[in-house]
Amino acid sequence: NDPFELEVYRTFVERWRRADQRFRYDELRAQPTEFFAKMLRGMGFGCTQDEAQRAAAYVGSTYHSSSGQTGGGSPDRPLSETRWAAPSEVLDVYLNDEHIRAFMAEQRWPTTRRGYDRGRLRRLAELIGAR
């Protein structure tokens, strides 16, 4: 009965705060080799520098349009970084939830609609540029 899965994300936030190891997409984008070394070690696997470098090279050369499919885009410009794909109603629900908004602030993510709403002219320019 939760069309926006708000409870799922609240649960995630609570588990995130208790976790011994935390992995952020921003770290993957900024320092992929270090990200994979930390992730594999945090999961209890050994990880050599070569293994971490190979994982980073794979991510740098292969675009996953979903967890199970490759292709359809560029690893340099993931879809999630080029446009806001969720309906505005979802954004409003998350931004109006104090727990989710606090988590977003901790992550240094925008906590106002303005941070996600690019405006009509910019969206039009993005659509034109995408074709």
Side-chain angles (χ1 to χ4, degrees), residues 19-87:
D20 292 331
Q21 296 288 327
R22 297 180 183 139
F23 307 102
R24 294 176 174 89
Y25 178 74
D26 299 339
E27 294 167 348
L28 170 62
R29 297 289 289 157
Q31 299 178 310
T33 301
E34 292 82 359
F35 172 88
F36 282 109
K38 178 182 171 184
M39 182 183 74
L40 292 169
R41 289 183 188 125
M43 294 174 70
F45 300 110
C47 180
T48 65
Q49 183 67 15
D50 181 58
E51 290 168 327
Q53 288 173 339
R54 284 188 299 155
Y58 173 81
V59 167
S61 67
T62 308
Y63 182 78
H64 281 261
S65 52
S66 70
S67 60
Q69 295 180 324
T70 58
S74 166
D76 295 331
R77 290 195 66 199
L79 180 61
S80 62
E81 293 181 11
T82 59
R83 64 183 163 129
W84 177 256

